Amino acid sequence: MTKMTLGSYPHMLGFEQLERLLERTAKSGNEGYPPFNIEQTSDFSYRITLAVAGFAEEDISITVEDRQLVIRGRQTDDSEGRVFLHRGIAARQFQRSFVLADGVDVGEAIIGNGLLHVDLTRAKPQSVVKTINIRKG
């Protein structure tokens, strides 16, 4: 059986990059931690909220790498000298990745009450009509 790609459809020109983005998203390997929400806050804005209880501002980094929003968290192990009778809260690291479409910009990030909010905005699309002149060859 032959794998169908976007390039194999004759009316889908220039979508090779979209296909690569879809493959990269499928391979991103995001596990279920930390849990997150994505909400649409207006017609052209979004908010990603991650549950990051126990992480301080300096434990989290947010970067945009090749049209991909990457949020990383790394807690320092502060258990030295402490004796735990039960340790159910582990200091673990995480990485969450979100592929951004063209025109989506990352705004501010706010942390509070164990939640990290990252605001995104999308440029309003402009309707473009272009007339192509035909010349004799």
Side-chain angles (χ1 to χ4, degrees):
M1 180 174 210
T2 310
K3 178 183 172 187
M4 295 296 287
T5 64
L6 291 175
S8 63
Y9 293 94
H11 301 291
M12 303 284 285
L13 303 174
F15 284 91
E16 297 82 13
Q17 186 174 7
L18 175 61
E19 187 170 10
R20 285 191 298 273
L21 283 172
L22 290 171
E23 287 176 7
R24 184 172 64 183
T25 301
K27 294 177 185 175
S28 67
N30 279 334
E31 57 182 66
Y33 179 77
F36 66 93
N37 292 337
I38 300 175
E39 62 183 296
Q40 185 169 2
T41 54
S42 76
D43 287 343
F44 299 102
S45 63
Y46 309 92
R47 173 172 270 189
I48 299 173
T49 301
L50 284 86
V52 292
F55 286 85
E57 182 179 342
E58 57 271 5
D59 296 334
I60 299 173
S61 70
I62 302 171
T63 57
V64 177
E65 304 168 8
D66 192 26
R67 291 182 41 206
Q68 195 167 24
L69 171 65
V70 180
I71 304 171
R72 293 180 180 92
R74 178 178 292 242
Q75 290 178 310
T76 55
D77 188 9
D78 63 350
S79 64
E80 190 173 319
R82 297 167 70 185
V83 177
F84 290 94
L85 300 179
H86 171 76
R87 186 160 188 183
I89 303 172
R92 68 193 273 201
Q93 60 186 19
F94 70 86
Q95 177 175 314
R96 278 282 185 191
S97 301
F98 303 90
V99 177
L100 303 175
D102 282 335
V104 174
D105 292 316
V106 179
E108 67 178 347
I110 304 164
I111 190 168
N113 296 326
L115 297 174
L116 173 69
H117 305 285
V118 181
D119 291 326
L120 309 169
T121 56
R122 180 171 47 105
K124 187 174 181 178
Q126 297 177 357
S127 177
V128 177
V129 177
K130 182 178 179 182
T131 302
I132 309 300
N133 293 323
I134 303 171
R135 62 179 181 95
K136 291 183 181 181

